[in-house]
Amino acid sequence: MTDGLYGEIQHPRYVEIQLGFIGYALIINFQGVYIMAIILILNQYFILILEEKELVKRFGGVYAEYSKSVPRFIP
């Protein structure tokens, strides 16, 4: 998928969830929520790395080319 949002960033759903964590932490403004948001974002990042390895195994060079041409999070 190289059309639309997936043509700009590889993982728009992960970005949406991460922004939600950050927004929730900013609204609540409590140290424990900031720590939890950081932990959840880091956890999600490691899950993303595992997912990308699986996609490379499944789709091979096609996914490798896509990942080189489209940035992971920031357009």
Side-chain angles (χ1 to χ4, degrees):
M1 293 182 59
T2 57
D3 296 333
L5 196 52
Y6 285 94
E8 300 296 323
I9 56 177
Q10 291 181 24
H11 307 285
R13 290 181 294 161
Y14 285 106
V15 172
E16 176 186 7
I17 293 168
Q18 290 170 355
L19 289 175
F21 288 152
I22 293 168
Y24 182 72
L26 290 173
I27 289 171
I28 299 299
N29 198 20
F30 183 67
Q31 184 180 9
V33 180
Y34 287 119
I35 293 169
M36 193 62 154
I38 291 169
I39 290 169
L40 290 171
I41 288 171
L42 290 174
N43 186 29
Q44 189 180 43
Y45 181 76
F46 290 120
I47 290 171
L48 175 77
I49 297 298
L50 293 173
E51 181 181 322
E52 286 182 347
K53 287 181 183 179
E54 175 65 28
L55 289 170
V56 169
K57 286 181 187 176
R58 186 179 296 175
F59 299 110
V62 175
Y63 185 78
E65 287 180 34
Y66 170 73
S67 64
K68 288 179 185 176
S69 64
V70 178
R72 188 177 280 163
F73 296 120
I74 301 171

